Amino acid sequence: MKCLLDSGRYNEAATFGPEWLTVSPFDVVAHSSVAAAMAQTGDLTTAARQFGYVMILRPNAEEALDQLHKIVLSLAKAPEGSQRFREIVANAPDSPRMLDEVAWFLATYPDSNWRDGAEAVRLAERACELTDRRIAALLATLAAAYAETGDFSRAIATGEEALSLARSMGDTDDIKLSENILASVRANVPYRQEPEQ
């Protein structure tokens, strides 16, 4: 697989990848390699799902999260991107970080054609459930998702929960994020954020 990827033979690698996963379903390198091959062949739905598995197996896999973020942004700019993005949402594995990434996009993306508050709430609630509500950033996403549906009382309560948790952890980034979301939802305004490239 490594030789196929290194030599740019992505279609062959994509064909070979599922066999590797059958033999080694819990191998992070296998999922990463299949994701890379699928992304290169244009199968972004499968690539995103494989990056989700990487983040299940290795929750702090920043590169996988970064690649997923790039896939989501590329679809947001593509004419047929909406349908492919919906396929990613429908096939997302139980990876809290993947669920959070997709929920954040559905709740906060400036273009209303892409937002879906109900789906954002479903995904964000699942991410929080999987982590026992112990990650402030995931709670902040859930607050933004509630606001997108117009449920500002739950958005405020969840935003306050996120802020309290972020303060207890001393996480300045999550403190700032939670404060920004709370300022918005306390004014009964859904939170919007242009995604970073």
Side-chain angles (χ1 to χ4, degrees):
M1 185 75 165
K2 184 177 185 328
C3 291
L4 291 170
L5 288 172
D6 288 346
S7 62
R9 295 161 60 186
Y10 302 116
N11 287 324
E12 291 174 71
T15 301
F16 179 73
E19 293 179 40
W20 186 8
L21 291 174
T22 299
V23 175
S24 304
F26 303 108
D27 188 329
V28 171
V29 175
H31 287 285
S32 294
S33 298
V34 171
M38 294 302 185
Q40 289 294 329
T41 63
D43 185 351
L44 300 182
T45 302
T46 302
R49 186 171 61 248
Q50 292 303 320
F51 285 128
Y53 290 132
V54 169
M55 290 183 280
I56 288 173
L57 296 168
R58 190 176 291 155
N60 294 323
E62 294 301 323
E63 185 176 333
L65 182 60
D66 183 54
Q67 292 301 316
L68 175 63
H69 184 74
K70 288 177 181 174
I71 287 172
V72 170
L73 289 183
S74 72
L75 291 176
K77 297 172 185 171
E80 78 292 348
S82 179
Q83 178 57 38
R84 295 172 76 190
F85 179 72
R86 298 294 172 198
E87 290 170 11
I88 288 173
V89 171
N91 292 292
D94 263 353
S95 160
R97 293 186 85 190
M98 180 174 187
L99 296 172
D100 181 67
E101 176 74 19
V102 175
W104 180 259
F105 185 84
L106 289 169
T108 67
Y109 193 63
D111 184 344
S112 62
N113 293 318
W114 286 85
R115 290 194 309 274
D116 183 338
E119 187 68 5
V121 166
R122 184 185 74 78
L123 296 169
E125 283 180 340
R126 181 64 181 148
C128 289
E129 177 187 329
L130 289 167
T131 55
D132 296 323
R133 299 179 78 92
R134 292 183 181 163
I135 300 177
L138 274 57
L139 288 166
T141 298
L142 181 56
Y146 284 140
E148 177 59 22
T149 66
D151 190 346
F152 289 102
S153 60
R154 288 180 83 183
I156 292 168
T158 306
E160 288 171 347
E161 183 182 356
L163 180 58
S164 175
L165 182 57
R167 285 179 174 157
S168 73
M169 303 295 275
D171 188 324
T172 55
D173 289 340
D174 285 346
I175 290 170
K176 183 175 180 181
L177 175 64
S178 299
E179 288 174 341
N180 290 341
I181 290 172
L182 274 170
S184 182
V185 300
R186 283 179 175 148
N188 288 343
V189 176
Y191 187 77
R192 299 286 174 259
Q193 185 178 61
E194 191 70 44
E196 295 177 8
Q197 301 297 324

